[in-house]
Amino acid sequence: MGARRWTARARGVRAAAAVVAALGLLATGCGGGSGSGDGKVTIRYSWWGAKDRAELIQKTVKLFEKEHPNIKVKTDFSEYTDFWSKFNTQAAGGNPPDVFQNSYAFLRKYGDKNLLLDLNGQAKAGNLSLKGFRNGLEKAGDIDGKLLGVPVGANTFALFYNPDAFKKAGVNVEAGWTWDDFFTAAKKVRRSDDALYGASDNANVMYLYDLYLRQNGKAFFTKDSKLGFTKDDLTEWWGRWQQHAKADELVPGKKSEQAKPKASISADLSASEFTWDNFLVRFAAETKTPLDLGPIPTTDGKRTGQYLSSLMLSGSARTQHPEEVAQFIDFMTHDPEVGKVMGYNRGIPATTSQYDAYRPQGVDAKIAAYEKSVSAKLEPITPHPAGADVAEAAFLRIYTQVALGQTSMGKAVDQFFNEAESALGS
């Protein structure tokens, strides 16, 4: 995910099996940008995100075009789910964008389909610098020796909470607190304010469950591309959240759905919610309620299971302009002015040049302080096999059906395992 999607909890996408199969069969020379009679090269750049991200990225594209007058960049953005649906359709038709926003969760899937440009060659040719990345992030996009993505920002999971509501309920958010402490806090907040639920129901967030599993010596995915937990494990996790939802302590499923595209916390329904720390930028634009970042609850009071994820830029294996794509990625990851424009919209900048150029203020300063506070606890990222995106989408969708009263717990767990194991080829 790191970083990982504008919403970690997006509804997800599933390309039809026939489409996915077709992706690997397309000729590597088709699709991508074009040349023009005036000697300019045109490349296409696509990303997902909200309107505020689009406005910032357009500014950075203008900076690039000014620096590289012979390269024109055509832009396109969508919400997370729509982005991948469009991408799959374009890729199946042999016309994917030359360069696009990506995340760790998708590298192996699309790398296995030969859709991603191995950027190692462009790095060796001097068109892309891999120096100056923070925290070893230059290797974040390395899959089986191929460089399939370059990070533009890094983030980690956090608890977002309304400090006024927690203070009113007499609850302190402190490092080392447990899941029991968290659910007790949600109950106290709900009892102290009839207009506000203690927490959003985040049982359907794959990345949060992954942290819980890691705290208990497991993980959502194993190294051999299988699910790393049992049906009993999932029943316990989903069941615990449902217990508190039925006690009226968590935002009901119907209200969460009605609040979209806002999150429950930015819609002022909830006093706390789990997601990637850089979402504070988005939430601050969606609500006037001040929000803080707090530590992830633990099982043993020590281990949070957290890791750094990142949003990345990947090139298409079908681009006709790999050199220009590499130059674009290099500019977007290293240019100091780009760092000043983007701030922490896509996470804390991945390179020292952009990190040093931007002086965080307001919500960005909170994100920087939070990541500094948890830096010593960070661990290696969980492997994301091909099919991870389908498993994530199923996890989100199927629990949402439980929360809406549309299916039973037993059927939901069985359905998830059937869909996820099929996607993973288990």
Side-chain angles (χ1 to χ4, degrees), residues 210-257:
D210 185 33
L211 297 186
Y212 177 78
L213 289 168
R214 287 159 64 96
Q215 292 173 11
N216 289 277
K218 300 182 179 183
F220 201 97
F221 301 110
T222 65
K223 292 182 179 180
D224 57 353
S225 302
K226 296 180 180 179
L227 294 176
F229 55 96
T230 67
K231 290 184 178 181
D232 286 343
D233 292 332
L234 182 55
T235 300
E236 185 272 333
W237 172 256
W238 279 354
R240 186 173 192 183
W241 286 82
Q242 272 294 288
Q243 175 187 345
H244 292 281
K246 291 177 179 178
D248 199 40
E249 297 159 10
L250 310 181
V251 179
K254 289 183 180 179
K255 289 190 176 183
S256 294
E257 292 298 305

Side-chain angles (χ1 to χ4, degrees), residues 155-159 179 205-221 237 274-276 294-300 303-309 370 377-382 384 395:
N155 53 9
T156 189
F157 241 66
L159 171 74
W179 288 101
V205 179
M206 181 187 80
Y207 296 97
L208 181 62
Y209 186 41
D210 185 33
L211 297 186
Y212 177 78
L213 289 168
R214 287 159 64 96
Q215 292 173 11
N216 289 277
K218 300 182 179 183
F220 201 97
F221 301 110
W237 172 256
F274 295 97
T275 190
W276 301 101
I296 299 294
T298 65
T299 298
D300 61 2
R303 185 183 181 188
T304 65
Q306 287 173 268
Y307 49 82
L308 277 183
S309 186
Y370 174 74
K377 302 176 182 178
L378 298 177
E379 305 173 7
I381 193 171
T382 293
H384 283 62
F395 197 78

Side-chain angles (χ1 to χ4, degrees), residues 47 60 131 136 150 178-179 195 198 223 228 280 287 396 425:
W47 67 91
T60 66
K131 296 181 179 180
V150 179
T178 66
W179 288 101
K223 292 182 179 180
L280 187 59
T287 178
L396 173 70

